[in-house]
Amino acid sequence: MQEKEARRGRTRYRLTDTERGHAWGDCAEAEGLFGQAWRETYELFDWVPDGAGVLGWVGREVWWVPQDGALDPWLLEDAESLGPHPGTDSLVLTGLDDHLGPPEDHRGTVLLHDGRRLLGSCRGFTRILPPRRSDPPIVLRGLTPGEELRRVLATATRRTLDLGEAALEVRDDRGEPFAELLMWVTVSSWRPSALGSGPGSGSGSASASPPDLTAGGSDMPR
C-alpha cells in the first residue's frame, strides 16, 4: 500500500504531445510553472508629498485614490519608492499590482494612502516598461521518459529538442487529473535526478535513474 502511494506521488505530472497524443513522460515534481510575481514600476507626475518625502519601502499596501471619485481605489502591494525621476518633479514607485492594476487611461489627480496616512498626490502617472522578460525555465524532476522522449534525448539535435506544443497534466493525491497547462516546450538540459528511479524504471533494465529535465516553456509558440 505504501509503495502504491509513493508511486502515485511520484507521477503527479504527465507531459503529453498535444498534436500526436503520446506521453513525453511522467514526473514527480515540476518547478517554475508559475515563476515569480513581476513588480510593476510607475512614474507619478508632479508628485507632491504630504509631509516627509517618500523614499525606500513605503508599505505593504498602498492605495491609489482618484480625487474626483470617478473610479474606485486600486491597490499596489509591497510598494517601494525609488526616489524622484531625474530632472523632473516625478516620483518612481514600484510594487505588485492587484489582479486588475491601475487604469492607465486615467487622467486627473490621484491621492496615495497607506491605510493610515496620506502619502501625497500626483496629477497623473504612467507605467515604465521593464526590459523584455524571458519565460522562467521549467524543471521536471524525477522524469520517467516515454519512448518518444527517449528517442529525442538519444539524438539530441536542436530540432528534435523542440517538442512543440505540449500539455502538462496535473494530478491529485489519488492520481486523478484535475488541471492541464498548455505550453510550448524546448528541452534545454537533462541530468540524473536526485529523486532516484521512478515508476516503470528498474523493471529488469540497466538504465540509469530518470533525469531532471529542464525546458523553456511559454504560453504561445515563439
Side-chain angles (χ1 to χ4, degrees), residues 40-144:
E40 301 292 352
T41 303
Y42 296 94
E43 179 181 355
L44 282 58
F45 303 126
D46 291 341
W47 171 253
V48 179
D50 188 76
V54 177
L55 185 62
W57 192 72
V58 180
R60 187 173 62 86
E61 294 182 345
V62 171
W63 292 93
W64 306 51
V65 184
Q67 190 177 49
D68 60 11
L71 297 172
D72 291 333
W74 55 87
L75 178 63
L76 190 70
E77 297 182 287
D78 191 25
E80 181 181 0
S81 168
L82 304 183
H85 194 284
T88 72
D89 294 327
S90 299
L91 179 73
V92 179
L93 196 66
T94 180
L96 301 173
D97 280 332
D98 63 12
H99 69 291
L100 294 177
E104 297 201 39
D105 58 350
H106 179 267
R107 297 292 181 268
T109 299
V110 176
L111 309 177
L112 267 70
H113 202 286
D114 67 1
R116 298 182 302 275
R117 65 184 182 91
L118 180 66
L119 301 173
S121 63
C122 65
R123 67 167 177 82
F125 61 89
T126 187
R127 188 192 305 266
I128 300 176
L129 296 179
R132 178 178 172 83
R133 298 166 177 169
S134 59
D135 296 306
I138 295 171
V139 182
L140 305 181
R141 297 200 180 279
L143 180 72
T144 301

